[in-house]
Amino acid sequence: MNTKENIFQRLLAFLKKKALSFKKNANIVRELVKKNIKVQYRNSVIGALWTVLNPLLNMLVMFFVFSVVLNYGSEKTYALYILCGNIMFSFVRASTTQSLPSIVHNRGLLTKNKISQFVFPIANNLGAVVNFAFSSIALLGVMAVVSIIAKQSFFSFNLLLVFLMLPALFLFSYGLSLILAALYVFFRDIQHFYNVFLTLWTYLTPVFWKVGNVLDSKESDTQAMALFIKPMLRLIVHANPMYHFVTYFRDIAYGCVENGVSVWQTFPLLGTLYLIGLIFAGIGTLIFSLTRSKFIYYI
Amino acid sequence: MEEKNLTQETEIATAPSQIDDTIIEVSDVSMEFFTRDEKIDNLKELFVRLLKGKAKRKVVRVLNNVSFSVKKGESIGLIGHNGAGKSTLLKLIAEIYKPTKGTVKVRGKVAPLLNLGAGFDPESSAKENVYLNGAILGYSRKEIAKKYEEIVEFAELGEYMHIPIKNFSSGMVARLGFAIAIDVNPDILLVDEILSVGDENFRKKCARKVNELREKGVTFVIVSHNMGQVKSLCQKAIWIENSEVMAYGDVNEVCEKYQKYCNEQKI
């Protein structure tokens, strides 16, 4: 009886301690997110409005280059196609590039206070969620314009599925952030490597080009193309987690309405997204947890 | 059987009072670091060293079998030459480092005041830094908001709170750091060399506040080269030299031994 009570009490004390440290870390994360957003737009005249304008301007540049100059993507929803791809990719790009040096850059805080190392990648990824919310305003604006031009309303309740997709995106980006932040502590050349990789990744993800146009066209195929390069490309495209994320986002934003497809058909893809997210978050947490006690000696 | 029960009960009865009294317990702690020139921080170097078979770790022992305990309300001074391991010991108590060997047990809220501007973000304003540091010390935004005026008043930085910390003078940063640390009601305050910064008036104000807090039962662990300060603030002292504890006990005795040693070294 005694021992039972003892175990119960200890469990209670343990949970209480965990809850306290969770509350403390949540407070730190909130302050960090606020700080990051404030620092980002300090000394700028229009401030947070940039978060809305940024994806919009990026989209206009790409739209001009590909649709107007190169005559690629002539359909009316091409502007939405680019914008959706851009919003998704900048979420991952911003959160991972900020997280990569976050442990090293916050050495001032880490070497002088007892803080959980996890708060920095979490804060950066939550900051990306905030930016995503602002970008959605730009998306709604462009959707309105495209709806008027195409004389077809693309607004639907499918858009609410964004709230189901975001956690998966967060998990994926957070997991990748953890891996990069931990690696950077020990190997500083990861930053250069990742910058080059990001450029490659941007082009391998169908942000402005269309998978169908590249993989399914049979017009100018040589034998080598048909036998070797195309299957390779197909493999690379499908192995790219971002491909699935941008595809899903486009489907729920306008694709299902445009093609008259029921949104239920996209649910298996949502499952894939969660699988990707959980795998990355799992690997990231594992690597980060195993190495974080050593961070302090290398930063 | 009965006897056994009795002893168990007495153990249970005495255990809490023992724990309640001791607020810091450092037992048999050793701390080791890798030396800086052997540190590999990029892949290229790692490959080169692996090829050469030189990726071995070179270890430096900073603390060797250090043991002591501090009771609640007691203050302790850490003295010794530069590089003796005092700051490392402070970071072990702050749970920033984990000891290589031995255990460090600390009960209660610890406010570390290590060096100037401990953990301030230079790009953020003083106000934002107060909230961030408050959160790091375990306070919610509401709780810090209540203390905010008090902190600003103590630091005497009223009109500068919206300026980024990077534009502050070192004295201003120290004032802000001290004001935050004492206002969060810590049980243990770790102080590394910072009581000797700021102008004369602020130093006096700090000394008054430190005495006030000591009377309230706050435990101080102070690293200082100023023997007068250590003697006036602490009951006990630890003298660390070459990673070993040379003397531990009454502050006057330890300081005397240390000063004698210093004098001998000079000759």
Side-chain angles (χ1 to χ4, degrees):
Chain A
M1 196 61 197
N2 246 336
T3 50
K4 238 185 192 173
E5 252 170 47
N6 206 0
I7 289 170
F8 183 69
Q9 272 175 354
R10 275 163 74 181
L11 187 72
L12 209 68
F14 176 77
L15 286 177
K16 214 172 158 187
K17 207 177 144 194
K18 281 278 161 201
L20 262 178
S21 86
F22 179 79
K23 206 180 132 199
K24 180 185 158 183
N25 288 334
N27 280 328
I28 298 174
V29 165
R30 193 176 53 196
E31 294 303 324
L32 286 175
V33 171
K34 267 186 202 160
K35 188 196 88 181
N36 287 351
I37 290 170
K38 271 188 189 166
V39 167
Q40 213 176 344
Y41 296 105
R42 180 156 286 150
N43 296 332
S44 77
V45 182
I46 55 169
L49 202 57
W50 275 116
T51 25
V52 183
L53 273 182
N54 207 358
L56 213 57
L57 294 175
N58 263 326
M59 181 212 75
L60 284 176
V61 170
M62 281 191 163
F63 187 78
F64 176 74
V65 171
F66 291 103
S67 195
V68 180
V69 179
L70 296 174
N71 206 18
Y72 185 86
S74 47
E75 75 276 14
K76 293 193 173 81
T77 51
Y78 187 60
L80 281 174
Y81 185 89
I82 296 175
L83 187 59
C84 286
N86 261 338
I87 290 175
M88 293 303 271
F89 208 85
S90 29
F91 183 105
V92 176
R93 185 196 293 123
S95 56
T96 51
T97 47
Q98 281 166 20
S99 295
L100 182 134
S102 62
I103 298 296
V104 175
H105 283 182
N106 285 298
R107 59 164 83 83
L109 289 176
L110 283 167
T111 54
K112 280 160 194 155
N113 294 285
K114 190 193 169 198
I115 321 176
S116 167
Q117 294 88 339
F118 278 103
V119 295
F120 301 107
I122 290 178
N124 289 331
N125 280 279
L126 284 178
V129 173
V130 174
N131 278 339
F132 184 91
F134 278 108
S135 306
S136 303
I137 299 172
L139 179 67
L140 291 176
V142 174
M143 272 177 77
V145 173
V146 171
S147 294
I148 291 168
I149 293 171
K151 292 183 185 109
Q152 175 192 4
S153 170
F154 290 110
F155 292 96
S156 71
F157 286 112
N158 296 352
L159 260 177
L160 292 177
L161 285 168
V162 162
F163 294 107
L164 267 184
M165 177 204 70
L166 261 181
L169 181 66
F170 182 90
L171 285 175
F172 166 65
S173 180
Y174 172 62
L176 189 58
S177 299
L178 287 179
I179 297 169
L180 291 168
L183 281 176
Y184 184 64
V185 172
F186 304 105
F187 308 110
R188 300 291 153 88
D189 30 14
I190 286 291
Q191 191 166 31
H192 305 288
F193 179 77
Y194 187 64
N195 278 339
V196 176
F197 177 76
L198 256 181
T199 313
L200 179 70
W201 198 11
T202 316
Y203 288 110
L204 280 179
T205 307
V207 172
F208 52 83
W209 56 272
K210 303 209 161 177
V211 178
N213 290 2
V214 176
L215 292 182
D216 299 336
S217 71
K218 298 220 161 94
E219 291 159 20
S220 58
D221 273 12
T222 59
Q223 220 171 3
M225 278 290 273
L227 282 176
F228 186 66
I229 296 173
K230 281 228 169 136
M232 276 289 283
L233 267 178
R234 194 179 298 275
L235 189 72
I236 290 171
V237 165
H238 286 273
N240 176 8
M242 281 314 286
Y243 163 70
H244 303 285
F245 279 104
V246 293
T247 307
Y248 185 75
F249 191 42
R250 280 168 187 149
D251 281 350
I252 59 171
Y254 66 92
C256 287
V257 176
E258 187 187 26
N259 302 322
V261 176
S262 160
V263 78
W264 294 105
Q265 289 185 18
T266 64
F267 273 76
L269 185 53
L270 186 63
T272 312
L273 300 190
Y274 270 92
L275 188 68
I276 294 169
L278 288 173
I279 288 172
F280 270 83
I283 295 172
T285 309
L286 188 71
I287 291 177
F288 202 81
S289 308
L290 288 177
T291 52
R292 69 176 178 145
S293 64
K294 294 194 178 76
F295 288 171
I296 188 100
Y297 311 116
Y298 288 85
I299 57 180
Chain B
M1 193 64 188
E2 267 182 9
E3 258 181 43
K4 209 180 175 185
N5 275 340
L6 258 177
T7 51
Q8 266 182 348
E9 263 173 39
T10 47
E11 259 178 36
I12 291 165
T14 52
S17 70
Q18 257 179 357
I19 298 164
D20 275 347
D21 223 352
T22 310
I23 196 159
I24 303 170
E25 191 165 8
V26 175
S27 37
D28 210 18
V29 161
S30 295
M31 188 70 202
E32 287 168 352
F33 286 106
F34 309 124
T35 46
R36 200 159 257 291
D37 57 315
E38 283 289 318
K39 230 181 248 175
I40 300 165
D41 69 355
N42 62 62
L43 283 169
K44 187 190 78 189
E45 220 170 305
L46 180 70
F47 280 128
V48 171
R49 299 223 180 191
L50 280 177
L51 285 175
K52 285 183 180 170
K54 275 187 184 169
K56 275 179 197 162
R57 293 167 168 180
K58 198 177 165 193
V59 173
V60 169
R61 184 162 277 214
V62 183
L63 289 173
N64 200 6
N65 296 326
V66 175
S67 298
F68 66 91
S69 65
V70 184
K71 287 187 177 138
K72 193 169 163 44
E74 230 177 23
S75 289
I76 192 159
L78 303 183
I79 55 176
H81 284 106
N82 288 327
K86 305 185 297 288
S87 297
T88 305
L89 192 52
L90 223 49
K91 284 187 177 177
L92 280 164
I93 295 169
E95 291 178 88
I96 295 164
Y97 290 156
K98 272 197 186 116
T100 316
K101 214 190 87 196
T103 55
V104 178
K105 277 184 194 153
V106 179
R107 296 163 36 77
K109 191 187 283 285
V110 182
L113 252 183
L114 312 177
N115 305 328
L116 280 174
F120 283 140
D121 177 52
E123 294 295 326
S124 300
S125 73
K127 188 180 181 182
E128 284 155 22
N129 267 304
V130 169
Y131 280 98
L132 179 60
N133 266 267
I136 287 168
L137 292 169
Y139 281 92
S140 71
R141 206 171 166 82
K142 264 189 200 161
E143 286 166 313
I144 286 292
K146 272 185 211 157
K147 295 168 189 290
Y148 181 71
E149 288 303 319
E150 225 173 294
I151 291 171
V152 175
E153 201 185 311
F154 190 88
E156 298 167 23
L157 290 169
E159 56 209 298
Y160 303 109
M161 293 308 283
H162 294 280
I163 296 174
I165 289 273
K166 64 179 175 185
N167 299 332
F168 273 27
S169 74
S170 55
M172 287 159 86
V173 174
R175 261 147 59 184
L176 188 62
F178 191 79
I180 297 171
I182 56 162
D183 229 316
V184 295
N185 295 329
D187 297 309
I188 303 166
L189 197 57
L190 308 176
V191 186
D192 194 351
E193 303 270 8
I194 72 125
L195 290 180
S196 45
V197 288
D199 51 36
E200 192 59 35
N201 282 338
F202 190 73
R203 237 183 296 172
K204 277 183 188 160
K205 201 166 144 188
C206 287
R208 269 204 305 277
K209 193 76 194 180
V210 167
N211 280 324
E212 196 183 297
L213 289 173
R214 280 201 315 146
E215 275 159 27
K216 269 191 202 165
V218 176
T219 300
F220 279 81
V221 181
I222 298 168
V223 167
S224 180
H225 290 287
N226 182 341
M227 289 305 131
Q229 196 178 57
V230 173
K231 279 180 194 166
S232 71
L233 289 175
C234 308
Q235 292 96 29
K236 277 187 181 176
I238 303 173
W239 167 26
I240 300 171
E241 201 70 52
N242 296 324
S243 72
E244 307 257 0
V245 175
M246 301 288 276
Y248 164 51
D250 178 71
V251 66
N252 289 317
E253 283 171 29
V254 176
C255 286
E256 207 171 288
K257 276 184 198 166
Y258 176 60
Q259 270 162 335
K260 207 175 151 193
Y261 175 83
C262 289
N263 289 335
E264 277 168 15
Q265 290 267 304
K266 268 177 201 160
I267 305 158

